[in-house]
Amino acid sequence: MIKYKEAINIIKKVSLKLPSEKISILNSVNRICDSDIRSPSVNPLHNNTAFDGFAVIAKETKGISIKNIKKFKIIKTIAAGDVPKIKNYSKNSVIEIMTGGLILEPFDSVLAVEKAKYFPAKGKPTHIIINREVKKFSFIRFAGEDYQLKDLVVKKGE
């Protein structure tokens, strides 16, 4: 049996050149990348929610507490992948939003669905009752938070 260092030296001397090829990422399991891959865009592309809940404007919840609750009108529901258009926003309104749903202005925060109290009933709510302040940017994933344009996402040799 040869020694470890000798084996490594033999391996280093062997030149194994494999051709590179472009393949679908779906076929890339157990393959090695022959060059660095950089992101073609930012990810996520837009601000979105990390949880199911209600998009709110944080400053509208200032001063809210268990003793000082406030009712907010549900004006729309947004699922992940929807391209929302907010036309009828009025003060003290919220949007029901699913995980990954886009957060558009004027909304800046999300109240987790578990924290919402439905009104008049959970079955067909028209409003939610909020009994605590919501911190600005709660549960928001910002555009480019995961990676920026041209960030290294896969290194050569991986």
Side-chain angles (χ1 to χ4, degrees):
M1 182 184 295
I2 64 173
K3 294 184 178 182
Y4 175 78
K5 273 191 169 186
E6 286 179 66
I8 294 298
N9 286 333
I10 292 169
I11 291 170
K12 285 181 180 178
K13 288 179 186 174
V14 174
S15 176
L16 180 62
K17 296 282 183 188
L18 297 173
S20 69
E21 58 185 338
K22 284 191 178 188
I23 59 170
S24 165
I25 195 165
L26 299 173
N27 299 322
S28 66
V29 176
N30 296 323
R31 303 295 290 264
I32 297 171
C33 196
D34 83 330
S35 59
D36 289 343
I37 296 179
R38 301 201 170 265
S39 65
S41 63
V42 299
N43 188 55
L45 288 171
H46 304 283
N47 292 354
N48 66 67
T49 178
F51 288 93
D52 289 349
F54 293 90
V56 300
I57 299 171
K59 70 181 179 183
E60 290 183 352
T61 69
K62 285 277 188 220
I64 293 178
S65 67
I66 300 254
K67 293 181 180 180
N68 185 30
I69 63 174
K70 197 172 186 182
K71 189 164 51 168
F72 289 77
K73 183 177 183 180
I74 302 168
I75 59 171
K76 189 175 190 87
T77 299
I78 297 173
D82 286 354
V83 180
K85 290 182 174 61
I86 315 294
K87 292 181 183 175
N88 57 345
Y89 172 77
S90 58
K91 191 173 180 186
N92 300 326
S93 293
V94 296
I95 294 178
E96 183 178 21
I97 192 159
M98 310 312 161
T99 302
L102 299 182
I103 300 287
L104 299 180
E105 291 184 352
F107 301 99
D108 60 14
S109 306
V110 173
L111 173 73
V113 71
E114 296 83 2
K115 305 293 183 191
K117 309 281 187 242
Y118 296 94
F119 180 87
K122 190 172 183 175
K124 290 197 178 214
T126 57
H127 293 75
I128 61 166
I129 296 170
I130 298 178
N131 63 6
R132 66 184 56 171
E133 288 186 12
V134 177
K135 290 183 181 177
K136 191 169 184 174
F137 305 130
S138 293
F139 303 120
I140 301 294
R141 294 179 59 232
F142 294 101
E145 185 175 300
D146 293 341
Y147 53 82
Q148 294 290 315
L149 180 66
K150 301 199 186 259
D151 275 359
L152 181 63
V153 291
V154 181
K155 289 182 187 175
K156 176 180 179 173
E158 286 185 347

